[in-house]
Amino acid sequence: MGLGTFSTGALALATLNSIGVLAASAPHCVGDKSDICFSWGVPEAAIQSGTGNVYFQIRAPKSYEWTALGIGNQMRGAEIFLMYQDGAGNVTLSTRSGVGHVMPQYTQRSEVELLAGSGVVGDEMVANVRCGDCQKADLKSSSGWISAWKVGDPINSKDLSANIPYHDDHSIFQIDLSKASVSSDSNPFTSTDTGSNPAGNNPTNGNGSNGNGNGSSGGGGGNIVSGGSSGGPVSNALLYGHGILMMIVWVILYPAGALLMPFIGKWMFHAAFQTIAFLAMWAGLGMGYVLSNRLGIFWQNTHTRLGIMVCALMFLQPILGALHHTNFKKQGRRGAVSHIHVWYGRALIILGIINGGLGLKLASSGMAFRTAYIVLSAVIAGPYFLSIPYLEMRKARASKNQPTSGSSSKGPAGSAVSDESSSR
């Protein structure tokens, strides 16, 4: 919206004040350019009783694919209001429930209504909203709110369950709604309030009408925001860093390292390669922990729980490998610890690859990432697992042809170096 339009909106709000209508709160703006703004207004009667309508406005440039505002301190359990263009000059407001750090799912709410002034207004999307059942919002003091957004091509859909890609950034803040008082229980964001969607749409379908230019967020109210933090580029860097590094570890390094021993026969190469993968895994886990803790989703979903457990179990694998090597040097043949080392490692690799897929689902990753993961798993990890029957048969033949300890001049220690590769 240009400066001239903003001035018109400000003038409309000044007119509202002059006839005794208290303006909505001063806008709280987020994003790198502070161009995503939210405002609130709560009727005085609702503040006094602690229950009633909450009015708020979501405003963002059309360059954003979607913008969302939610009530809660984290995505899990949050009441989310998602705004995107419907392709007909209006906006779609989709009421959703947060279930963790995944795409929130549509939840029908009859007490949420898109009001007059909503739509595509100039270069901006605007949603003026009345919420009559915002149970998580504390009307008498501060409560937690969250927001998120994604830059991109417009969704252009009236589907309330439309898929949305992973957000670019997010913000968490506290809102004191007791300071957002308005005298009238009506739309505080327009000079002419119809009290309902002027297009006559069902309030639950989420489709607003074209705005009339009076949907200004205003500035007559006081500052009601306290605290606040943003994910910022650091969170995105952690997200991509964690995902890419763990994909390399579980899909490429561990399977490739496991193949070094039977095909090359040099246990030192195998040990060195797997040590690199082992250290990279812990680095990836560290990034994942910081990211999930920052987003408030640590140990709250299958991906984070399984990831911690698999990495913790992998801590035993180097120990089992050392015991296998020591035992083989002494005995010249595979023992129980050898079988445990081999099959334990294979099981963990499978779990790690599965958990990577769960991570992509958790992050609502795009088709490009999912395709890359599937292709790499098929090309790199696939041959490893397909080769297992061949490796097991080769081990069986080697064990059958292995001389007894008394018939070899090399002895167990001497034959270990040449035969250990067939035991993997």
Side-chain angles (χ1 to χ4, degrees), residues 121-154:
V121 183
D123 293 329
E124 290 187 313
M125 299 180 288
V126 178
N128 295 329
V129 183
R130 178 191 67 83
C131 180
D133 60 352
C134 285
Q135 302 297 325
K136 290 184 177 294
D138 190 335
L139 305 190
K140 293 189 174 184
S141 61
S142 294
S143 54
W145 290 68
I146 60 176
S147 63
W149 50 91
K150 170 68 178 178
V151 174
D153 296 329

Side-chain angles (χ1 to χ4, degrees), residues 136-293:
K136 290 184 177 294
D138 190 335
L139 305 190
K140 293 189 174 184
S141 61
S142 294
S143 54
W145 290 68
I146 60 176
S147 63
W149 50 91
K150 170 68 178 178
V151 174
D153 296 329
I155 294 177
N156 289 337
S157 174
K158 297 181 181 180
D159 183 4
L160 300 175
S161 300
N163 290 328
I164 59 172
Y166 188 82
H167 60 72
D168 288 332
D169 204 348
H170 71 281
S171 182
I172 305 171
F173 42 88
Q174 296 287 315
I175 296 296
D176 187 350
L177 291 177
S178 67
K179 298 180 181 179
S181 173
V182 293
S183 60
S184 175
D185 192 351
S186 60
N187 186 351
F189 305 111
T190 57
S191 58
T192 301
D193 175 32
T194 64
S196 63
N197 192 324
N201 294 326
N202 187 310
T204 63
N205 74 357
N207 296 322
S209 67
N210 284 328
N212 59 12
N214 292 327
S216 171
S217 61
N223 183 15
I224 65 172
V225 181
S226 63
S229 64
S230 177
V234 175
S235 287
N236 289 330
L238 284 172
L239 175 68
Y240 289 114
H242 167 72
I244 293 173
L245 183 56
M246 285 306 219
M247 180 179 67
I248 292 173
V249 167
W250 292 103
V251 176
I252 300 176
L253 294 183
Y254 275 139
L259 285 172
L260 284 178
M261 195 64 201
F263 286 104
I264 296 180
K266 302 294 183 181
W267 72 268
M268 292 187 65
F269 288 165
H270 168 75
F273 198 91
Q274 297 298 62
T275 297
I276 294 173
F278 184 74
L279 295 176
M281 179 196 73
W282 288 109
L285 178 66
M287 287 190 288
Y289 171 76
V290 172
L291 178 64
S292 63
N293 190 58

Side-chain angles (χ1 to χ4, degrees), residues 9 84 104 148-149 159 195 198 217 229 249 290 304 310 312 315 319 349 361 370 378 380 387 394 400 404-405 408:
Y84 45 87
W149 50 91
D159 183 4
S217 61
S229 64
V249 167
V290 172
T304 56
V310 170
F315 187 82
I319 299 173
I349 291 174
K361 180 181 179 181
R370 295 198 297 269
I380 305 297
S387 69
R394 195 179 77 166
K400 184 181 298 184
T404 60
S405 59
S408 175

Side-chain angles (χ1 to χ4, degrees), residues 366-390:
M367 182 59 68
F369 281 100
R370 295 198 297 269
T371 301
Y373 191 79
I374 294 171
V375 170
L376 285 174
S377 297
V379 173
I380 305 297
Y384 167 66
F385 289 107
L386 290 175
S387 69
I388 289 177
Y390 163 75

Side-chain angles (χ1 to χ4, degrees), residues 58-73:
I58 306 173
R59 177 182 292 269
K62 292 192 299 182
S63 57
Y64 287 90
E65 187 170 348
W66 59 264
T67 305
L69 179 67
I71 310 174
N73 293 308

Side-chain angles (χ1 to χ4, degrees), residues 2 8 13 20 74 131 190 219 274 281 306 309 316 323 379 418:
T8 301
L13 281 170
Q74 61 183 26
C131 180
T190 57
Q274 297 298 62
M281 179 196 73
L306 183 58
M309 289 188 287
L316 296 176
L323 292 174
V379 173
S418 60

